[in-house]
Amino acid sequence: MFLDHLQSALRALRNSPVLTLLMVLALGLGIGACMTTLTVFKVLSADPIPGKGHLLHEVQIDAGDLIGYQPGQEPQFQLTRFDAEALLREAKAPRQTLMSGAQLGLVSEAPGAEPAFVRARYASADFFPMFEAPLLHGRAWTAEEDREAARVVVIGERLAAQLFGEPAAAVGQGLLLRGQRVQVIGVLKPWKLNPHFIDFTNGGFEVNTELWLPFSSAMAMKFGRSGMMNCWGDGPTADGPLALNAKCAWVQYWVELPNAAAAADYKHYLERYSEAQRSSGRFQRPVNVRLRNVPEVLEHHKAVPDDVRLQTFLAFGFFGVCLVNMAGLLLAKTLRRAGEIGVRRALGASRQTVFNQFLVEAGLVGLLGTLLGLLLALAGLWAVRQGPSSYAQLVQMDPAQLGLTLLLGLSAALLAGLLPAWRATLVSPALQLKVQ
């Protein structure tokens, strides 16, 4: 029976090529617009660390002076080195890490090796388990190696292959970072946190970090850093803005807390710490701290820009208009075929048979429109990838998105076809035969 309905639908579509083309175009344009914007939205709103986002919290403490201060304003989102190291020593959370980004020149100890310039990250030992960094070979450094400022590094698989041929061969090898020797103790699998929530100062997407180094070691070796820095008052000391007592905020600090109660307790601890620093004269501003988990950080930093949300909303509105147009065209087509329907009913076709035939016809239009919409969506995503946005290269349609496109297109077409199909069942065979 379905094949009979399909053959009838094909004949009906061929008999009205203009209406068929208009319906396919209407649905295709709606699907194309929806899936382009929805794919961009999905990339930007993706959970960068599934299962742990509500456990990881970014710490903010307002250590600035009173110049330009306004009550209730947002505190700085980075800490001074003094405060970050103090919190790390007190270790009030089950896990905590301080960190900062950098760009470093390096060369392997192999004869004739070419120098490379890589994006790096300084961090403390809890960084790897907190953010579930996927080790491929070797190990990460320990808290004891943090305290000793050990000259050790973990590198990415791509860099390991580039420098040593095989990633496994990198473990135990030496590197020269700005002329100072360090030893590779571990190799990470390809790993990207998109969005890059741990440090928005070094970009929100596709941050290709290739080398990880203990924060204490980087400071002992007098390495520089990259990203935003905010200084106030006397600002940098004679030893520079990275010195322990410099009035400059440039360190990100994260903690892992098991539940909401632990988060509330830790926030109270931060308030007490801030009040103690204010009493000692280090802080001038009133106590002002924040403790945001990953979803809250993404919302605060607008990982999904307002214009992307608006575009997605408008695209679905446009899709709704396209569906209404498609339903109207299907209804007009149904009314034009009233005579045909009357003859079929007179020859014994049931209402259900007529309903099914017109619904299959709507589904066929939906399939054609969905295929067109898929092509338009792929073209739209290609255009997005040519843009300057930091997330542009991430905008790809995965198999789940492909399945959603087909489901959305066919479901929408069948929904639009319900009214015309129901209207076809109301045609009176006696009246149509009399008219004919």
Side-chain angles (χ1 to χ4, degrees), residues 34-195:
C34 270
M35 296 315 299
T36 299
T37 57
L38 189 61
T39 301
V40 173
F41 182 85
K42 179 184 176 184
V43 167
L44 298 181
S45 61
D47 185 351
I49 186 163
K52 290 200 71 174
H54 288 82
L55 305 181
L56 301 176
H57 297 74
E58 182 184 46
V59 173
Q60 294 174 254
I61 296 176
D62 204 345
D65 58 20
L66 293 175
I67 297 176
Y69 170 72
Q70 296 180 0
Q73 71 183 29
E74 180 72 15
Q76 300 178 76
F77 62 91
Q78 299 185 109
L79 307 187
T80 66
R81 178 184 168 188
F82 182 95
D83 294 319
E85 292 192 5
L87 296 182
L88 188 68
R89 282 194 304 273
E90 295 188 12
K92 296 296 185 179
R95 286 174 177 165
Q96 48 266 304
T97 184
L98 76 170
M99 67 182 88
S100 184
Q103 297 189 50
L104 299 174
L106 62 82
V107 64
S108 75
E109 293 182 325
E114 294 292 327
F117 195 66
V118 299
R119 190 183 291 270
R121 177 149 294 272
Y122 311 147
S124 52
D126 281 347
F127 174 87
F128 296 94
M130 279 179 64
F131 299 106
E132 300 182 340
L135 273 168
L136 178 64
H137 301 291
R139 63 177 180 87
W141 62 83
T142 64
E144 182 178 357
E145 287 170 319
D146 268 337
R147 290 188 290 272
E148 295 172 352
R151 305 296 178 93
V152 295
V153 296
V154 173
I155 63 176
E157 182 181 17
R158 187 194 67 82
L159 181 61
Q162 174 186 331
L163 296 176
F164 305 106
E166 289 291 333
V171 178
Q173 299 289 339
L175 293 177
L176 294 178
L177 291 180
R178 296 183 59 186
Q180 302 189 58
R181 187 182 189 279
V182 296
Q183 184 180 36
V184 178
I185 61 170
V187 176
L188 287 189
K189 298 177 183 177
W191 180 51
K192 294 174 184 175
L193 294 171
N194 286 313

Side-chain angles (χ1 to χ4, degrees), residues 3 7 72 104 221 234 238 245 249 253 255 346 357 386 405 413 420 424 427 429:
L3 291 178
Q7 290 174 355
L104 299 174
M221 292 188 282
D234 299 333
N245 293 314
Y253 197 89
V255 294
Q357 177 190 336
Q386 309 314 304
T405 303
V427 173

Side-chain angles (χ1 to χ4, degrees), residues 220-280:
M221 292 188 282
K222 306 294 184 182
F223 287 170
R225 38 81 63 197
S226 62
M228 294 179 60
M229 175 185 287
N230 181 35
C231 297
W232 59 89
D234 299 333
T237 66
D239 294 326
L242 306 191
L244 182 62
N245 293 314
K247 295 179 180 179
C248 296
W250 55 275
V251 182
Q252 301 90 48
Y253 197 89
W254 284 79
V255 294
E256 181 177 339
L257 302 167
N259 50 50
D265 290 342
Y266 194 84
K267 188 174 181 181
H268 291 323
Y269 157 69
L270 293 176
E271 291 169 348
R272 293 193 300 272
Y273 174 86
S274 296
E275 183 57 42
Q277 297 302 313
R278 188 168 180 268
S279 299
S280 70

Side-chain angles (χ1 to χ4, degrees), residues 331-348:
L331 186 58
K333 195 167 181 291
T334 300
L335 295 176
R336 286 178 53 184
R337 296 168 59 190
E340 173 196 334
I341 298 169
V343 171
R344 289 199 62 197
R345 290 293 313 282
L347 292 175

